[in-house]
Amino acid sequence: MSTEVSTGVIGVVGAGVMGIGVAQNLAQTGHEVILVDTSEEIVAGAVAAIRNNCRMSRLLGGPALDAGEVLSRITPGVGADAVAKADIVIENVTENWDVKREVHEALDAACGPQAIFIVNTSAFPITKVAAVTSRPGQVVGVHFMNPVPAKPAVELIPGFHTTPRTVERTKQLLTAMGKKAIQVKDACGFVSNRVLMLTVNEAAYLVHEGVADAASVDEVFRSCFGHPMGPLETADLIGVDTILYSVEVLYEYYSDSKYRPCPLLRQMTDAGLHGRKSGQGFYDYTGAGAGAVAGAS
Amino acid sequence: MSDQVQEQVREFIGGRYPDAEISESDDIFQLGFINSLFAMELVLFIEKRFGITIPNDELRIDNFRTTRSMAELVERCSPAAVGAKA
């Protein structure tokens, strides 16, 4: 069996919240990474975020990290051509079909025929993504959790045509990253988001309808069920915009009204209240007037 | 100084968790609803509010468990304390 998985360069495409976490996780476990997005500014921002995350690593129960050492394994780049030589490419772009399709077409044209594409998605069917490439046997889904370096497990989703060798190589990489892979079949939303997105969407409806404010909704989940975080805190962590896109994907794919997105999620997305990453979501993270904001008025 | 720091930290925690009633020695992570992600926010809040940079070796969860331990941290990292050590 080849061992190139742990020695080859890994391309990480999309330098948002998930791409940042994946790139950091790979680098801190000894992998050489090329991190790309659509502009140098976005990637520079991602590098700064990784530096800060390394600093905070121990607070999240992670190892003490030398940011300089971690970043020395990450090469910034722009566009699909920058990952042309990667053995494995992990795609982490926005949960929007047009964006996913365009990126995978570009990667398919840029990368060598041996390269494996890992689709990091919480919702899109892997078979659908694989179909826009010329290598459906080498496309596999991995649903990483946020924050990636701190989460011990992922969902691993082979598509209809994914080969056993692709699955095996992906498992090797995940093991090297310190992740347990829980394999499930390819269905829109997989296991996690079929349940989680409905929960978050319904929690948003409760705030939207004035049944309870965000803090009270989350308090019920923490105090009554013993969850470490409530659904709206979770939404702020994942990104309110990402939640909306994921619910929209489920709604479109299953044509089932139970996935109808809450208008509050749409309004917050339009207003730029995207959660922790934007400083405000269902809660305020700016430090100025910290507290629940959405639905408070 | 220490009391002022504790009061401001308590206000910040209260802004997010209005029902939290904490004394200076309560372990906030034992209350059941504050997680380690909030510790990251505490770091950013403390550094901004008190104009200090917390050294990496001080970024341990134990330094953020109680308002007293946070006040002691601020004292250790304040320019006067750092200057005195140098």
Side-chain angles (χ1 to χ4, degrees):
Chain A
M1 178 67 67
S2 165
T3 56
E4 63 192 304
V5 169
S6 59
T7 57
V9 173
I10 313 291
V12 176
V13 175
V17 172
M18 297 308 291
I20 285 170
V22 169
Q24 180 191 324
N25 196 148
L26 285 164
Q28 74 186 51
T29 51
H31 298 86
E32 293 297 322
V33 177
I34 302 172
L35 175 61
V36 307
D37 208 300
T38 53
S39 77
E40 286 179 11
E41 290 73 25
I42 294 173
V43 182
V47 167
I50 292 170
R51 190 181 299 281
N52 192 49
N53 291 348
C54 288
R55 201 175 159 238
M56 303 285 187
S57 172
R58 282 203 298 173
L59 285 178
L60 294 176
L65 294 174
D66 179 336
E69 193 183 327
V70 170
L71 287 171
S72 72
R73 299 197 188 99
I74 299 176
T75 305
V78 174
D81 288 342
V83 295
K85 291 192 172 10
D87 290 330
I88 296 180
V89 175
I90 305 179
E91 171 273 303
N92 314 271
V93 302
T94 307
E95 297 281 50
N96 171 296
W97 174 243
D98 289 337
V99 177
K100 285 259 189 229
R101 180 174 46 74
E102 277 177 34
V103 166
H104 278 274
E105 285 170 354
L107 289 172
D108 195 42
C111 294
Q114 82 294 342
I116 286 176
F117 293 170
I118 293 176
V119 186
N120 180 9
T121 177
S122 61
F124 279 107
I126 304 309
T127 306
K128 179 174 175 171
V129 180
V132 306
T133 76
S134 61
R135 63 187 83 205
Q138 291 156 241
V139 178
V140 65
V142 173
H143 177 199
F144 286 94
M145 309 294 153
N146 184 28
V148 178
K151 296 293 184 182
V154 298
E155 281 180 296
L156 171 65
I157 312 107
F160 186 85
H161 295 290
T162 308
T163 65
R165 176 169 162 69
T166 299
V167 172
E168 192 51 40
R169 289 190 68 181
T170 304
K171 280 183 178 171
Q172 284 174 19
L173 177 65
L174 291 168
T175 301
M177 291 175 76
K179 303 287 181 244
K180 178 183 182 182
I182 302 167
Q183 191 166 329
V184 300
K185 289 186 177 163
D186 189 23
C188 185
F190 320 124
V191 171
S192 56
N193 274 14
R194 283 280 287 277
V195 179
L196 179 64
M197 290 304 150
L198 273 182
T199 305
V200 173
N201 197 43
E202 198 61 26
Y205 267 115
L206 289 168
V207 175
H208 184 59
E209 293 166 9
V211 175
D213 61 17
S216 300
V217 171
D218 285 336
E219 172 75 6
V220 168
F221 278 79
R222 284 193 309 264
S223 296
C224 301
F225 299 151
H227 289 195
M229 294 176 83
L232 299 174
E233 291 172 291
T234 304
D236 276 358
L237 177 63
I238 292 171
V240 174
D241 54 336
T242 302
I243 296 284
L244 173 66
Y245 299 145
S246 300
V247 177
E248 285 177 338
V249 168
L250 289 164
Y251 182 64
E252 186 184 339
Y253 188 83
Y254 290 107
S255 300
D256 188 333
S257 63
K258 74 179 175 186
Y259 298 110
R260 184 171 65 97
C262 174
L264 180 60
L265 292 176
R266 203 179 298 283
Q267 188 180 41
M268 290 174 69
T269 298
D270 291 343
L273 304 185
H274 295 177
R276 284 178 180 270
K277 62 187 173 185
S278 72
Q280 213 169 356
F282 286 97
Y283 298 88
D284 180 4
Y285 301 91
T286 59
V293 288
S297 58
Chain B
M1 168 72 178
S2 172
D3 287 350
Q4 285 174 15
V5 172
Q6 290 200 45
E7 189 50 41
Q8 292 185 56
V9 169
R10 206 175 286 122
E11 265 177 34
F12 180 73
I13 296 171
R16 174 66 58 77
Y17 302 101
D19 296 335
E21 287 179 18
I22 46 176
S23 73
E24 65 169 20
S25 57
D26 281 336
D27 182 339
I28 60 171
F29 300 107
Q30 292 293 319
L31 297 175
F33 51 84
I34 294 180
N35 57 38
S36 53
L37 283 171
F38 187 66
M40 291 174 67
E41 290 172 50
L42 282 168
V43 172
L44 300 176
F45 167 75
I46 288 172
E47 290 191 333
K48 195 172 161 190
R49 177 62 60 91
F50 303 108
I52 59 173
T53 301
I54 303 171
N56 287 359
D57 59 359
E58 292 276 23
L59 290 172
R60 302 186 305 268
I61 205 84
D62 285 344
N63 281 338
F64 299 88
R65 286 194 187 282
T66 67
T67 58
R68 189 196 291 155
S69 64
M70 283 183 259
E72 289 167 356
L73 175 68
V74 170
E75 214 153 284
R76 281 200 300 282
C77 300
S78 68
V82 173
K85 238 193 292 179

Short mmCIF file of all heavy atoms in Angstrom, two decimals, chain A residues 52-53 55-56 58-60 147 215 219 222 227-229 233 237 276 283-287 290-292, chain B residues 12 15-17 33 35-37 39-41 43-45 47-49 53-54 56-57 59-61 64:
data_model
loop_
_atom_site.label_atom_id
_atom_site.label_comp_id
_atom_site.label_asym_id
_atom_site.label_seq_id
_atom_site.Cartn_x
_atom_site.Cartn_y
_atom_site.Cartn_z
N ASN A 52 -3.49 33.19 15.26
CA ASN A 52 -4.26 33.44 16.49
C ASN A 52 -4.81 32.13 17.08
O ASN A 52 -4.79 31.92 18.28
CB ASN A 52 -5.40 34.42 16.18
CG ASN A 52 -6.03 34.94 17.46
OD1 ASN A 52 -5.33 35.36 18.37
ND2 ASN A 52 -7.35 34.87 17.53
N ASN A 53 -5.30 31.26 16.21
CA ASN A 53 -5.85 29.98 16.69
C ASN A 53 -4.78 29.12 17.36
O ASN A 53 -5.07 28.41 18.33
CB ASN A 53 -6.47 29.19 15.52
CG ASN A 53 -7.73 29.84 15.00
OD1 ASN A 53 -8.27 30.75 15.63
ND2 ASN A 53 -8.19 29.41 13.83
N ARG A 55 -2.31 30.26 19.00
CA ARG A 55 -2.12 30.89 20.31
C ARG A 55 -3.17 30.40 21.31
O ARG A 55 -2.90 30.20 22.47
CB ARG A 55 -2.26 32.40 20.07
CG ARG A 55 -1.64 33.24 21.13
CD ARG A 55 -1.68 34.71 20.81
NE ARG A 55 -1.53 35.43 22.05
CZ ARG A 55 -2.38 36.30 22.54
NH1 ARG A 55 -3.46 36.62 21.86
NH2 ARG A 55 -2.16 36.86 23.71
N MET A 56 -4.39 30.22 20.81
CA MET A 56 -5.51 29.85 21.68
C MET A 56 -5.66 28.33 21.85
O MET A 56 -6.57 27.87 22.54
CB MET A 56 -6.82 30.38 21.10
CG MET A 56 -6.87 31.88 20.87
SD MET A 56 -7.06 32.76 22.43
CE MET A 56 -7.29 34.45 21.82
N ARG A 58 -4.40 25.83 23.45
CA ARG A 58 -4.50 25.15 24.75
C ARG A 58 -5.80 25.47 25.48
O ARG A 58 -6.27 24.68 26.29
CB ARG A 58 -3.29 25.52 25.62
CG ARG A 58 -2.05 24.75 25.22
CD ARG A 58 -1.08 24.67 26.34
NE ARG A 58 -0.60 26.01 26.74
CZ ARG A 58 0.17 26.24 27.79
NH1 ARG A 58 0.55 25.24 28.54
NH2 ARG A 58 0.56 27.46 28.07
N LEU A 59 -6.35 26.66 25.20
CA LEU A 59 -7.63 27.01 25.83
C LEU A 59 -8.74 26.07 25.37
O LEU A 59 -9.73 25.87 26.07
CB LEU A 59 -8.02 28.45 25.49
CG LEU A 59 -7.25 29.56 26.22
CD1 LEU A 59 -7.74 30.91 25.73
CD2 LEU A 59 -7.44 29.44 27.72
N LEU A 60 -8.59 25.54 24.16
CA LEU A 60 -9.61 24.63 23.62
C LEU A 60 -9.26 23.18 23.90
O LEU A 60 -9.82 22.27 23.30
CB LEU A 60 -9.77 24.85 22.11
CG LEU A 60 -10.32 26.22 21.70
CD1 LEU A 60 -10.33 26.36 20.18
CD2 LEU A 60 -11.73 26.43 22.24
N PRO A 147 -14.75 23.75 15.75
CA PRO A 147 -13.44 24.05 15.14
C PRO A 147 -12.67 22.76 14.81
O PRO A 147 -12.54 21.89 15.67
CB PRO A 147 -12.72 24.87 16.22
CG PRO A 147 -13.42 24.56 17.51
CD PRO A 147 -14.80 24.10 17.18
N ALA A 215 -31.16 33.55 24.11
CA ALA A 215 -30.52 33.05 25.34
C ALA A 215 -31.40 31.99 26.02
O ALA A 215 -30.89 31.00 26.55
CB ALA A 215 -30.25 34.21 26.29
N GLU A 219 -30.58 28.13 26.67
CA GLU A 219 -30.59 27.73 28.09
C GLU A 219 -31.36 26.42 28.28
O GLU A 219 -30.98 25.56 29.07
CB GLU A 219 -31.21 28.86 28.93
CG GLU A 219 -31.47 28.55 30.39
CD GLU A 219 -30.20 28.53 31.24
OE1 GLU A 219 -29.15 28.87 30.69
OE2 GLU A 219 -30.28 28.14 32.41
N ARG A 222 -29.06 23.63 27.20
CA ARG A 222 -27.93 23.42 28.11
C ARG A 222 -28.41 22.86 29.45
O ARG A 222 -27.89 21.87 29.95
CB ARG A 222 -27.17 24.73 28.32
CG ARG A 222 -26.28 25.13 27.15
CD ARG A 222 -25.34 26.25 27.58
NE ARG A 222 -26.06 27.33 28.22
CZ ARG A 222 -26.48 28.44 27.63
NH1 ARG A 222 -26.20 28.61 26.35
NH2 ARG A 222 -27.14 29.36 28.28
N HIS A 227 -26.77 19.71 27.02
CA HIS A 227 -25.91 19.95 25.86
C HIS A 227 -24.87 21.01 26.21
O HIS A 227 -25.18 21.97 26.93
CB HIS A 227 -26.75 20.47 24.68
CG HIS A 227 -27.64 19.43 24.07
ND1 HIS A 227 -28.23 19.58 22.84
CD2 HIS A 227 -28.05 18.22 24.53
CE1 HIS A 227 -28.96 18.51 22.56
NE2 HIS A 227 -28.88 17.68 23.58
N PRO A 228 -23.64 20.87 25.73
CA PRO A 228 -22.63 21.89 26.04
C PRO A 228 -22.95 23.25 25.41
O PRO A 228 -22.57 24.29 25.94
CB PRO A 228 -21.33 21.31 25.46
CG PRO A 228 -21.74 20.23 24.55
CD PRO A 228 -23.08 19.74 24.99
N MET A 229 -23.65 23.24 24.28
CA MET A 229 -24.05 24.49 23.62
C MET A 229 -25.49 24.36 23.13
O MET A 229 -25.90 23.29 22.71
CB MET A 229 -23.18 24.78 22.38
CG MET A 229 -21.73 25.08 22.67
SD MET A 229 -20.83 25.29 21.13
CE MET A 229 -21.20 26.97 20.75
N GLU A 233 -26.30 29.15 19.72
CA GLU A 233 -24.84 29.32 19.89
C GLU A 233 -24.11 28.51 18.82
O GLU A 233 -23.10 28.95 18.27
CB GLU A 233 -24.40 28.81 21.27
CG GLU A 233 -24.89 29.63 22.43
CD GLU A 233 -24.57 28.94 23.75
OE1 GLU A 233 -25.18 27.89 24.03
OE2 GLU A 233 -23.71 29.45 24.48
N LEU A 237 -21.55 29.67 15.86
CA LEU A 237 -20.23 29.06 15.68
C LEU A 237 -20.06 28.58 14.23
O LEU A 237 -19.02 28.82 13.60
CB LEU A 237 -20.07 27.88 16.65
CG LEU A 237 -18.78 27.07 16.54
CD1 LEU A 237 -17.57 27.93 16.87
CD2 LEU A 237 -18.82 25.88 17.49
N ARG A 276 -20.11 34.31 15.04
CA ARG A 276 -18.79 34.63 15.61
C ARG A 276 -17.86 35.27 14.60
O ARG A 276 -17.12 36.21 14.91
CB ARG A 276 -18.13 33.35 16.14
CG ARG A 276 -18.70 32.88 17.45
CD ARG A 276 -18.06 31.58 17.90
NE ARG A 276 -18.65 31.15 19.16
CZ ARG A 276 -18.20 31.50 20.35
NH1 ARG A 276 -17.14 32.27 20.44
NH2 ARG A 276 -18.79 31.09 21.44
N TYR A 283 -25.85 36.29 19.03
CA TYR A 283 -25.19 36.95 20.16
C TYR A 283 -24.17 37.95 19.62
O TYR A 283 -23.77 37.86 18.45
CB TYR A 283 -24.47 35.92 21.05
CG TYR A 283 -25.42 34.92 21.67
CD1 TYR A 283 -25.75 33.75 21.00
CD2 TYR A 283 -26.01 35.15 22.90
CE1 TYR A 283 -26.63 32.83 21.55
CE2 TYR A 283 -26.89 34.24 23.46
CZ TYR A 283 -27.20 33.07 22.78
OH TYR A 283 -28.07 32.17 23.32
N ASP A 284 -23.79 38.87 20.50
CA ASP A 284 -22.80 39.89 20.16
C ASP A 284 -21.44 39.43 20.66
O ASP A 284 -21.29 39.08 21.83
CB ASP A 284 -23.22 41.20 20.84
CG ASP A 284 -22.26 42.34 20.55
OD1 ASP A 284 -21.31 42.12 19.78
OD2 ASP A 284 -22.46 43.42 21.11
N TYR A 285 -20.43 39.39 19.77
CA TYR A 285 -19.08 38.95 20.14
C TYR A 285 -18.07 40.08 20.11
O TYR A 285 -16.88 39.85 20.16
CB TYR A 285 -18.62 37.82 19.19
CG TYR A 285 -19.55 36.65 19.24
CD1 TYR A 285 -20.62 36.57 18.36
CD2 TYR A 285 -19.41 35.66 20.19
CE1 TYR A 285 -21.52 35.52 18.42
CE2 TYR A 285 -20.29 34.60 20.26
CZ TYR A 285 -21.35 34.54 19.37
OH TYR A 285 -22.22 33.51 19.44
N THR A 286 -18.56 41.31 20.00
CA THR A 286 -17.61 42.42 19.84
C THR A 286 -17.03 42.85 21.18
O THR A 286 -16.06 43.58 21.24
CB THR A 286 -18.31 43.65 19.22
OG1 THR A 286 -19.40 44.03 20.08
CG2 THR A 286 -18.85 43.31 17.84
N GLY A 287 -17.65 42.42 22.28
CA GLY A 287 -17.14 42.80 23.59
C GLY A 287 -17.74 44.09 24.09
O GLY A 287 -17.71 44.38 25.27
N ALA A 290 -21.85 42.91 24.90
CA ALA A 290 -22.00 41.47 24.77
C ALA A 290 -23.34 40.98 25.27
O ALA A 290 -23.81 41.41 26.31
CB ALA A 290 -20.88 40.75 25.52
N GLY A 291 -23.96 40.10 24.54
CA GLY A 291 -25.25 39.53 24.94
C GLY A 291 -26.05 39.12 23.74
O GLY A 291 -25.61 39.25 22.60
N ALA A 292 -27.22 38.57 24.00
CA ALA A 292 -28.07 38.14 22.91
C ALA A 292 -28.60 39.36 22.17
O ALA A 292 -28.95 40.35 22.77
CB ALA A 292 -29.22 37.31 23.47
N PHE B 12 -18.86 41.55 31.77
CA PHE B 12 -18.73 40.95 30.44
C PHE B 12 -19.41 39.58 30.40
O PHE B 12 -20.16 39.26 29.47
CB PHE B 12 -17.25 40.82 30.06
CG PHE B 12 -17.02 40.21 28.71
CD1 PHE B 12 -17.28 40.92 27.55
CD2 PHE B 12 -16.56 38.90 28.59
CE1 PHE B 12 -17.08 40.35 26.30
CE2 PHE B 12 -16.35 38.32 27.35
CZ PHE B 12 -16.62 39.05 26.20
N GLY B 15 -23.11 39.98 30.47
CA GLY B 15 -23.68 40.43 29.19
C GLY B 15 -24.08 39.27 28.32
O GLY B 15 -25.06 39.32 27.59
N ARG B 16 -23.30 38.19 28.41
CA ARG B 16 -23.59 37.00 27.60
C ARG B 16 -24.51 36.03 28.33
O ARG B 16 -25.38 35.41 27.73
CB ARG B 16 -22.27 36.30 27.23
CG ARG B 16 -22.47 34.98 26.50
CD ARG B 16 -23.10 35.20 25.15
NE ARG B 16 -22.25 36.08 24.39
CZ ARG B 16 -21.11 35.69 23.81
NH1 ARG B 16 -20.77 34.43 23.86
NH2 ARG B 16 -20.38 36.53 23.17
N TYR B 17 -24.26 35.90 29.62
CA TYR B 17 -25.04 34.95 30.41
C TYR B 17 -25.72 35.71 31.55
O TYR B 17 -25.22 35.72 32.68
CB TYR B 17 -24.13 33.84 30.96
CG TYR B 17 -23.38 33.08 29.88
CD1 TYR B 17 -22.04 33.36 29.62
CD2 TYR B 17 -24.03 32.11 29.11
CE1 TYR B 17 -21.36 32.68 28.62
CE2 TYR B 17 -23.35 31.42 28.13
CZ TYR B 17 -22.02 31.71 27.88
OH TYR B 17 -21.35 31.03 26.89
N PHE B 33 -22.66 25.94 31.72
CA PHE B 33 -23.11 26.54 30.45
C PHE B 33 -22.05 27.42 29.80
O PHE B 33 -22.30 27.99 28.74
CB PHE B 33 -24.40 27.34 30.67
CG PHE B 33 -24.34 28.34 31.79
CD1 PHE B 33 -23.81 29.59 31.57
CD2 PHE B 33 -24.82 28.01 33.03
CE1 PHE B 33 -23.75 30.52 32.60
CE2 PHE B 33 -24.75 28.92 34.07
CZ PHE B 33 -24.22 30.18 33.87
N ASN B 35 -18.44 27.44 27.97
CA ASN B 35 -17.48 26.48 27.42
C ASN B 35 -16.16 27.17 27.08
O ASN B 35 -16.01 28.37 27.21
CB ASN B 35 -18.09 25.77 26.20
CG ASN B 35 -18.53 26.76 25.14
OD1 ASN B 35 -17.87 27.76 24.91
ND2 ASN B 35 -19.66 26.50 24.52
N SER B 36 -15.23 26.35 26.61
CA SER B 36 -13.88 26.87 26.39
C SER B 36 -13.82 27.90 25.26
O SER B 36 -12.91 28.71 25.20
CB SER B 36 -12.91 25.71 26.11
OG SER B 36 -13.42 24.91 25.07
N LEU B 37 -14.81 27.85 24.34
CA LEU B 37 -14.83 28.88 23.29
C LEU B 37 -15.00 30.27 23.90
O LEU B 37 -14.47 31.26 23.42
CB LEU B 37 -15.98 28.62 22.30
CG LEU B 37 -15.72 27.52 21.29
CD1 LEU B 37 -16.99 27.21 20.54
CD2 LEU B 37 -14.62 27.91 20.33
N ALA B 39 -13.79 31.16 26.63
CA ALA B 39 -12.49 31.56 27.16
C ALA B 39 -11.72 32.37 26.14
O ALA B 39 -11.02 33.33 26.48
CB ALA B 39 -11.69 30.32 27.58
N MET B 40 -11.87 32.00 24.85
CA MET B 40 -11.20 32.77 23.80
C MET B 40 -11.73 34.20 23.77
O MET B 40 -10.98 35.15 23.55
CB MET B 40 -11.41 32.09 22.44
CG MET B 40 -10.68 30.77 22.29
SD MET B 40 -11.10 29.91 20.76
CE MET B 40 -10.40 31.01 19.55
N GLU B 41 -13.03 34.32 23.97
CA GLU B 41 -13.61 35.68 24.00
C GLU B 41 -13.11 36.45 25.21
O GLU B 41 -12.88 37.66 25.13
CB GLU B 41 -15.13 35.59 24.01
CG GLU B 41 -15.71 35.11 22.69
CD GLU B 41 -17.19 34.86 22.82
OE1 GLU B 41 -17.89 35.74 23.31
OE2 GLU B 41 -17.63 33.77 22.44
N VAL B 43 -10.22 36.14 26.56
CA VAL B 43 -8.85 36.58 26.25
C VAL B 43 -8.89 37.89 25.47
O VAL B 43 -8.23 38.87 25.82
CB VAL B 43 -8.11 35.50 25.41
CG1 VAL B 43 -6.77 36.05 24.92
CG2 VAL B 43 -7.90 34.24 26.22
N LEU B 44 -9.71 37.90 24.41
CA LEU B 44 -9.78 39.08 23.55
C LEU B 44 -10.33 40.28 24.33
O LEU B 44 -9.84 41.41 24.20
CB LEU B 44 -10.63 38.79 22.31
CG LEU B 44 -10.10 37.65 21.43
CD1 LEU B 44 -11.06 37.36 20.29
CD2 LEU B 44 -8.73 38.00 20.87
N PHE B 45 -11.35 40.03 25.16
CA PHE B 45 -11.94 41.10 25.97
C PHE B 45 -10.90 41.68 26.93
O PHE B 45 -10.71 42.90 27.02
CB PHE B 45 -13.15 40.58 26.74
CG PHE B 45 -13.62 41.52 27.83
CD1 PHE B 45 -14.33 42.67 27.50
CD2 PHE B 45 -13.33 41.26 29.17
CE1 PHE B 45 -14.75 43.55 28.49
CE2 PHE B 45 -13.75 42.13 30.16
CZ PHE B 45 -14.45 43.28 29.83
N GLU B 47 -7.60 41.51 26.91
CA GLU B 47 -6.48 42.19 26.24
C GLU B 47 -6.89 43.57 25.75
O GLU B 47 -6.14 44.54 25.89
CB GLU B 47 -5.98 41.34 25.07
CG GLU B 47 -5.26 40.08 25.52
CD GLU B 47 -4.53 39.37 24.39
OE1 GLU B 47 -4.95 39.51 23.22
OE2 GLU B 47 -3.55 38.65 24.67
N LYS B 48 -8.12 43.66 25.22
CA LYS B 48 -8.59 44.95 24.67
C LYS B 48 -8.91 45.92 25.80
O LYS B 48 -8.47 47.07 25.80
CB LYS B 48 -9.84 44.68 23.83
CG LYS B 48 -10.23 45.82 22.91
CD LYS B 48 -11.36 45.36 21.98
CE LYS B 48 -12.09 46.53 21.37
NZ LYS B 48 -13.29 46.12 20.67
N ARG B 49 -9.64 45.45 26.80
CA ARG B 49 -10.12 46.33 27.85
C ARG B 49 -8.98 46.86 28.72
O ARG B 49 -8.98 48.03 29.11
CB ARG B 49 -11.16 45.59 28.71
CG ARG B 49 -11.71 46.37 29.91
CD ARG B 49 -12.46 47.65 29.48
NE ARG B 49 -13.60 47.38 28.62
CZ ARG B 49 -14.84 47.20 29.07
NH1 ARG B 49 -15.10 47.24 30.35
NH2 ARG B 49 -15.81 46.98 28.20
N THR B 53 -1.10 42.40 26.52
CA THR B 53 -0.97 41.20 25.69
C THR B 53 -0.63 40.04 26.62
O THR B 53 0.37 40.09 27.34
CB THR B 53 0.16 41.37 24.65
OG1 THR B 53 -0.15 42.52 23.84
CG2 THR B 53 0.27 40.14 23.76
N ILE B 54 -1.48 39.04 26.62
CA ILE B 54 -1.26 37.89 27.50
C ILE B 54 -0.25 36.97 26.82
O ILE B 54 -0.48 36.52 25.70
CB ILE B 54 -2.58 37.14 27.78
CG1 ILE B 54 -3.60 38.12 28.39
CG2 ILE B 54 -2.34 35.96 28.69
CD1 ILE B 54 -5.00 37.56 28.51
N ASN B 56 1.83 33.74 25.60
CA ASN B 56 1.30 32.42 25.23
C ASN B 56 1.29 31.43 26.39
O ASN B 56 0.36 30.64 26.54
CB ASN B 56 2.10 31.83 24.07
CG ASN B 56 1.79 32.54 22.76
OD1 ASN B 56 0.96 33.46 22.74
ND2 ASN B 56 2.43 32.14 21.68
N ASP B 57 2.34 31.49 27.23
CA ASP B 57 2.39 30.49 28.31
C ASP B 57 1.38 30.79 29.43
O ASP B 57 1.21 29.98 30.35
CB ASP B 57 3.82 30.33 28.88
CG ASP B 57 4.36 31.64 29.43
OD1 ASP B 57 3.65 32.65 29.36
OD2 ASP B 57 5.50 31.64 29.95
N LEU B 59 -1.78 31.51 28.50
CA LEU B 59 -3.08 31.19 27.89
C LEU B 59 -3.48 29.76 28.26
O LEU B 59 -3.53 28.86 27.42
CB LEU B 59 -3.02 31.37 26.38
CG LEU B 59 -2.90 32.83 25.92
CD1 LEU B 59 -2.66 32.91 24.42
CD2 LEU B 59 -4.17 33.61 26.28
N ARG B 60 -3.73 29.59 29.54
CA ARG B 60 -4.17 28.28 30.06
C ARG B 60 -5.56 28.46 30.66
O ARG B 60 -5.87 29.50 31.25
CB ARG B 60 -3.23 27.79 31.17
CG ARG B 60 -1.78 27.63 30.75
CD ARG B 60 -0.98 27.01 31.89
NE ARG B 60 -1.11 27.77 33.12
CZ ARG B 60 -0.28 28.74 33.48
NH1 ARG B 60 0.73 29.09 32.71
NH2 ARG B 60 -0.45 29.38 34.63
N ILE B 61 -6.36 27.41 30.54
CA ILE B 61 -7.76 27.52 30.99
C ILE B 61 -7.82 27.86 32.48
O ILE B 61 -8.72 28.58 32.93
CB ILE B 61 -8.54 26.23 30.65
CG1 ILE B 61 -10.04 26.52 30.51
CG2 ILE B 61 -8.29 25.12 31.63
CD1 ILE B 61 -10.46 27.01 29.19
N PHE B 64 -8.43 31.38 33.59
CA PHE B 64 -9.71 32.00 33.25
C PHE B 64 -10.88 31.37 34.00
O PHE B 64 -12.04 31.62 33.69
CB PHE B 64 -9.93 31.93 31.72
CG PHE B 64 -8.86 32.66 30.97
CD1 PHE B 64 -7.68 32.03 30.60
CD2 PHE B 64 -9.02 34.01 30.66
CE1 PHE B 64 -6.67 32.72 29.94
CE2 PHE B 64 -8.02 34.71 30.00
CZ PHE B 64 -6.85 34.07 29.64
#
